[in-house]
Amino acid sequence: MFEKLQRAFWKALTPDLVPDQPKAPKAGGHALDEPTLAALGGHANIKSQQWLALTRLRLELHDPQLLDSTALQRAGVPAVMPLAGGVVHLLLGLRD
């Protein structure tokens, strides 16, 4: 009950940011399209992924040398922030 009330409250404050129904993850557990995955080094290079916000994805890569920032921008990723330890933040924008 409390979760429904809390969700309705946030929906009233930010109607464009709170979806009506949670979206199911895509098959295979990856929410990224093929060109983006290829620019990250493929499925096998992704150690973990976590959505930090509606527009940002945190990835941990096995081999950060396989990351191709230029190919990511061509695939439609507006910004890439590589961090130490193979961690990468992708600014994706709102996607369907």
Side-chain angles (χ1 to χ4, degrees):
M1 174 70 177
F2 179 73
E3 285 184 28
K4 286 184 179 181
L5 182 62
Q6 184 180 22
R7 188 164 189 73
F9 174 74
W10 285 113
K11 177 80 172 160
L13 291 178
T14 56
D16 57 333
L17 297 179
V18 179
D20 291 327
Q21 296 293 324
K23 295 180 182 175
K26 292 184 181 178
H30 295 283
L32 300 172
D33 55 5
E34 289 302 318
T36 304
L37 280 172
L40 292 167
H43 288 285
N45 195 33
I46 297 176
K47 187 186 273 188
S48 68
Q49 70 181 20
Q50 175 185 15
W51 285 97
L52 301 176
L54 291 174
T55 59
R56 197 171 74 215
L57 180 64
R58 177 189 186 273
L59 298 163
E60 189 175 358
L61 304 176
H62 290 288
D63 185 3
Q65 300 299 323
L66 296 176
L67 176 71
D68 186 356
S69 297
T70 306
L72 280 172
Q73 288 185 344
R74 274 188 265 132
V77 177
V80 180
M81 184 172 55
L83 302 170
V87 176
V88 179
H89 284 222
L90 302 180
L91 180 67
L92 298 171
L94 293 173
R95 291 184 167 194
D96 293 332

